Amino acid sequence: MSILGNAISVMTNQAHQGDLEIDPSPLLAVLKDLHSQYKLLGEGAVAKYIPELAKVNPDLFSICIVTVDGQVYKVGDYDQLFTIQSISKVFAYGLALEDHGQDYVLTRVGVEPTGDAFNAIVLDEQSKRPYNPMVNAGAIATTSLIKGSGPTERLNRMLDMFRRYIGHDVFVDISVFTSERSTGHRNRAMAHLMLNFGMIDRNIEESLDLYFQQCAVMVNCQDLAVMAATLANRGINPITKEQAVDKRYIKDILSVMYTCGMYNFAGEWAYKIGIPAKSGICGGIIAVVPNKMGIGVFSPLLDVRGNSVRGVKVCEELSQRLGLHLFDCSGQQAKFG
Ligand code: GLU
């Protein structure tokens, strides 16, 4: 039986022994427990860099797990739509790898963590590449690699890629897109810097538009968990069974998520929580437990680095309670196994 299966059976036994109210799913009971515990945590602030994001209700909070065999466990506001923001970078990177292969993509975007803020205007001194695809400069360079005969075809390829991961059609929030486009001077500056060094060779306004559009794709918490579960499941959506991305690129995607996915908290995240993840200033986090499950958390209150305060706490507890840290051999997993 899988670790998760064992976790469920052990927790079921515990529930039968003690509790009057027995939840049919122990994993759902864990999610409900974490949700009621952390909804009281009111620390952090919503993103305010564009008015559309500042309008979000700070109390929204949802957690969802989708297993690689397609089971869905969800609590809270899991239907609430929000814009995917930086979480999109993971999936655009996969599409760029499919379009050009690993060798070429590596000439345009590195894989080194920066320790800097996500929007730092910095390129590698030697190679002039942006450091990695999870920071803005690297994400803009990645998006510039997405193939297509013009802006419409490139956008449609991007949207179709998201559809494969999520399992239904997705749409761009036009207000968020236009707002990002009219205020995105910093992102525009990065694009110009990369154009100067020959790291971007397409029409940069077209690529910036595509980048702003990918950030403004609307998803809910359940979508995030399905996307994460697709990465956990060798690129196959566990619900629709559609191959969303070539499985040969899963290790590339998960490696950069692991080392660079959580802004300048990525090292501490890898150390404490120990699974590949990506967050966005929307307040979403995806986390991937390879061959087991995808986790999605949404809560718009952010810490100073831009990560969801409740999202980090929930993932930390899930990692501990279910023994998810990839390098944990302390016996914690054996407790469930
Ligand atoms: N659209 C945002 C930007 O490019 C994404 C930021 C984020 O989620 O980290 O600035």
Side-chain angles (χ1 to χ4, degrees), residues 49 85-86 89 118 136 180 187 211 215 263 279-282:
Y49 76 101
Q85 298 297 339
S86 266
K89 293 168 178 169
F118 69 99
N136 280 15
E180 296 246 24
N187 285 327
Y211 172 74
C215 288
Y263 302 122
S279 66
I281 38 114
C282 50

Side-chain angles (χ1 to χ4, degrees), residues 38-178:
Y38 287 112
K39 78 175 174 212
L40 305 173
L41 183 64
E43 286 167 25
V46 303
K48 296 196 179 71
Y49 76 101
I50 52 172
E52 272 63 26
L53 291 182
K55 284 182 210 154
V56 69
N57 174 357
D59 297 331
L60 292 168
F61 182 27
S62 45
I63 314 170
C64 183
I65 286 182
V66 175
T67 60
V68 293
D69 60 357
Q71 306 295 317
V72 180
Y73 303 89
K74 51 192 180 181
V75 289
D77 308 295
Y78 48 79
D79 282 338
Q80 175 67 45
L81 289 171
F82 51 90
T83 55
I84 189 168
Q85 298 297 339
S86 266
I87 299 172
S88 65
K89 293 168 178 169
V90 168
F91 305 96
Y93 186 54
L95 189 54
L97 286 166
E98 286 187 310
D99 278 357
H100 298 274
Q102 190 199 61
D103 289 345
Y104 183 75
V105 173
L106 275 174
T107 66
R108 296 305 185 98
V109 192
V111 288
E112 290 302 327
T114 63
D116 292 324
F118 69 99
N119 59 1
I121 304 181
V122 54
L123 301 177
D124 180 80
E125 277 286 307
Q126 211 79 51
S127 67
K128 310 299 182 206
R129 290 177 308 181
Y131 277 94
N132 68 68
M134 302 291 113
V135 291
N136 280 15
I140 294 165
T142 301
T143 300
S144 78
L145 297 174
I146 305 301
K147 285 185 178 169
S149 60
T152 309
E153 190 182 322
R154 294 174 80 204
L155 174 62
N156 285 339
R157 289 192 69 240
M158 178 82 81
L159 293 177
D160 196 50
M161 177 270 294
F162 281 117
R163 182 199 57 73
R164 292 194 299 275
Y165 278 100
I166 294 175
H168 59 77
D169 286 335
V170 294
F171 301 94
V172 170
D173 182 319
I174 295 298
S175 323
V176 172
F177 162 59
T178 49

